[in-house]
Amino acid sequence: MSIDTDTAARIATLARIKVEEDALPELAQEFNTILGFIEQLGEVDVEGVEPMTSVTPMRLRRREDVVTEGGQQDKVLSNAPDAREGFFAVPKVVE
Amino acid sequence: MTDLNAFTLADARDRLRAGDITSVELTEACLNALEGAGALNAFVHKTPEKALSQAKAADARIAEGDAPAMCGLPVGIKDLFCTMGVPSQAGSAILNGFRPEYESTVTQKLFDAGAVMLGKLNMDEFAMGSSNETSVYGKVVNPWRRADDTAELTPGGSSGGSAAAVAADLCLAATGTDTGGSIRQPAAFTGTVGIKPTYGRCSRWGIVAFASSLDQAGPMTKTVRDAAIMLEVMCGYDPKDSTSADIPVPDFEAMLTGDIRGKTIGIPREYRMEGMPEEIETLWSEGRRMLEEAGAKIVDISLPHTKYALPAYYVIAPAEASSNLARYDGVRYGHRATLAQGDGITEMYEKTRAEGFGPEVQRRVMVGTYVLSAGFYDAYYNRARKVRTLIKRDFDDVFAQGVDAILTPATPSAAFGLGEMNDADPVKMYLNDVFTVTVNLAGLPGITVPAGQDSQGLPLGLQLIGRPWEEGDLLNCAHALEAAAGFVAKPEKWW
């Protein structure tokens, strides 16, 4: 299938990446090249094959549901572009 | 006497323990070398003060007779590893100014073993690239040049800074990471050794995530012995990584006997690609002959789904990347875009990510978003995961037939010119990983060893693929290949 500029714009929105209107045709073209390459997977007979979830057979380990490294608010916030009064600050979300 | 920075890890270790040299001398030699190597653009954040203080501490340990495996040995760290208080940007503008408050497990293990960190090494942005041209710090230049011209060549990617730094003797060894070939391809382009261990061997904790089911860390070194020394330190169970394997790490160096008599080496027919340069073909046959002369039994094998590895990878890796990179939203760390009047949180996300991610990262995040989106998840993502199961089954089958290791070319060509692929479509660049990517999809260990030079004098590598968790055996095979190939060439210093 072929990706048009509307689809390219929708993908950019889903990915939360701003793409200027005039860049959309080229982006759509690149998607088509990459997806065209991926299309080969359609040739493979995958009937009855399980999709891989883990490359080595392993069960994820469980641990006690307890705090391991807590109480580090300053460190958690130290790299934030905008942190105020012990919180991450963002533009207004609700009116 | 050889310049101190040109030592291998093994030689430097032995000299340090014998008291012939000090770690401070060794570290200063490396710092001088990297100061004079700006033209390579390999080191992007230098940490001389940390290095010298670690070197002094290492000298004190050695004097007390307490010298662990990497004590006093200066190394470079790929920018993908979070290092406490030291910029760790994954080669991206979106992590501008980020200084982690924690240390990655792998770097912590290296420091615990006495290693000295010289600084952070350049790489493709978020490890997405095969030429080191997508980095926010600018391209890395390969210390190697063609015999007849001075054109700048790529060191490969994504661990291109690591490869260039090791090849140019700016450090004794470096860390790399490998999601589709990012250790092995640059090692092949620079005449160095690179090993990606079995998935689960090295903890991924504190390594900036690209594609979590494929990412593995590994060492990039001057020799196979050095790879064994450093890999052992980097490996081991870590409760902070849920996919870390809780199995013992053997003494890899002790397993380097060089004796591979009776081992069975498979030559996969599907790796003979159409249009493969004759020099690569010849090198591969030479490798086959060398292993045979060393006493191995050579068998032709088939890995029928090889052809589908790259397309499967270019679904799975972007899908995982789109999920992993969702965390770069301008809230918790790194870059946040300047907002216009009336911009809300969605505009903040969209502008921040448009400004912070380079074109290749944006492309892969969006491809990943698409293949995971409603209506396409089954057709692309699930199908790719089924193909991945078949690719792994191909390897399981040949190992069950008694194959101990598989010999393949490392790359489809020698290092190409920087900028040469600018006009090519993205898929052309992806083809660089054609021989390496299967190994990540199957979670296997793979190593590249310099095995020859092309007609222009550029290094060429061969790859050996091993059974899961059998890095020791694999390193031993590589050691035999290295000895037979006798690759000793070094790039002529021009930088």
Side-chain angles (χ1 to χ4, degrees), chain B residues 215-238:
Chain B
D215 297 343
Q216 265 294 290
M220 305 187 64
T221 58
K222 297 173 190 177
T223 64
V224 173
R225 179 171 302 279
D226 285 6
I229 294 168
M230 189 162 165
L231 180 64
E232 189 180 329
V233 170
M234 293 169 71
C235 289
Y237 173 62
D238 177 16

Side-chain angles (χ1 to χ4, degrees), chain B residues 281-355:
Chain B
E281 182 93 43
T282 310
L283 180 80
W284 194 14
S285 330
E286 276 296 290
R288 178 188 176 127
R289 182 188 57 77
M290 290 177 210
L291 292 174
E292 196 162 24
E293 281 174 9
K297 182 180 154 203
I298 309 291
V299 294
D300 288 306
I301 58 168
S302 173
L303 298 165
H305 294 90
T306 299
K307 179 183 166 197
Y308 302 105
L310 262 185
Y313 176 85
Y314 277 97
V315 173
I316 293 166
E320 293 186 21
S322 81
S323 170
N324 273 324
L325 271 58
R327 72 191 67 180
Y328 304 103
D329 55 5
V331 175
R332 286 160 294 171
Y333 27 63
H335 177 72
R336 178 186 289 191
T338 308
L339 301 182
Q341 193 71 30
D343 277 353
I345 196 157
T346 305
E347 287 81 8
M348 184 192 78
Y349 294 151
E350 291 183 343
K351 287 185 178 176
T352 295
R353 290 161 66 80
E355 291 175 8

Side-chain angles (χ1 to χ4, degrees), chain A residues 1-3 11 26-42, chain B residues 128 308 310-319 359-371 380 424-431:
Chain A
M1 69 162 286
S2 174
I3 304 246
I11 299 168
E26 198 190 330
L27 186 64
Q29 185 49 48
E30 284 172 358
F31 286 157
N32 282 319
T33 308
I34 295 168
L35 292 173
F37 178 63
I38 293 168
E39 290 299 338
Q40 296 174 60
L41 294 176
Chain B
M128 297 178 190
Y308 302 105
L310 262 185
Y313 176 85
Y314 277 97
V315 173
I316 293 166
E360 181 61 22
V361 173
Q362 292 193 20
R363 192 150 49 224
R364 295 207 202 180
V365 166
M366 287 192 270
V367 167
T369 303
Y370 181 71
V371 298
Y380 290 114
D425 69 57
V427 171
K428 183 125 194 276
M429 186 69 100
Y430 298 169
L431 292 175

Side-chain angles (χ1 to χ4, degrees), chain B residues 405-460:
Chain B
I406 297 164
L407 180 74
T408 79
T411 54
S413 72
F416 49 89
L418 284 161
E420 218 167 77
M421 302 280 247
N422 282 357
D423 299 327
D425 69 57
V427 171
K428 183 125 194 276
M429 186 69 100
Y430 298 169
L431 292 175
N432 260 290
D433 294 333
V434 67
F435 299 128
T436 48
V437 77
T438 51
V439 175
N440 300 77
L441 289 168
L444 301 171
I447 185 168
T448 53
V449 178
Q453 286 167 280
D454 74 358
S455 58
Q456 302 275 4
L458 296 180
L460 296 171

